[in-house]
Amino acid sequence: MVIAGKSLSTAMNARIIGSGNEAIVLAHGYGGDQSVWDKILPHLAQFCRVLVFDWTFSGAVKDINLFDNVKYSSYDAFADDLIALVDEMNFQPSVFVGHSMSGMIGCIASIKRPELFKRLILIGASPR
């Protein structure tokens, strides 16, 4: 994803918190934002580097033009964004934790780029 004047990580409010050898990506589900992880993030950050971000449909993303209904009509575009974000942040290999639709997005991304994630943890993952 190319965003005029912005990196993907900036556009998606991505941040890495914590330290340690283990890397974890936390991906929120539809209708949420990265704040869904706020209760567990301090604990994980004590032992791991944690990447949190907001999908382009999230109300936390400031530029509403980033979400394109046609482009994001399938999970493939979200998976491509996830891959690009992990590459940009140089955050691999990691453990991917995906809630709801993000579980399936993580599965698609791991099929496209198996080396990105050591493990997938799916929480209430959507079957589509």
Side-chain angles (χ1 to χ4, degrees), residues 19-95:
S19 60
N21 294 330
E22 194 71 54
I24 300 175
V25 176
L26 299 178
H28 67 82
Y30 186 77
D33 61 34
Q34 64 180 269
S35 70
V36 302
W37 306 112
D38 284 354
K39 297 286 185 191
I40 65 167
L41 192 55
H43 302 289
L44 291 173
Q46 289 178 358
F47 308 100
C48 307
R49 292 177 298 121
V50 184
L51 171 61
V52 291
F53 64 93
D54 295 312
W55 290 114
T56 54
F57 60 74
S58 167
V61 170
K62 303 296 183 228
D63 186 352
I64 61 171
N65 295 316
L66 293 177
F67 187 80
D68 178 330
N69 287 328
V70 175
K71 174 183 177 183
Y72 292 107
S73 63
S74 80
Y75 286 167
D76 278 314
F78 289 105
D80 292 341
D81 284 356
L82 177 60
I83 291 166
L85 179 64
V86 170
D87 283 345
E88 179 185 321
M89 303 291 285
N90 195 28
F91 206 73
Q92 57 180 298
S94 61
V95 174

Side-chain angles (χ1 to χ4, degrees), residues 73-76 100-108 124-128:
S73 63
S74 80
Y75 286 167
D76 278 314
S100 187
M101 69 181 272
S102 289
M104 294 298 101
I105 293 167
C107 289
I108 294 167
S126 164
R128 293 220 178 247

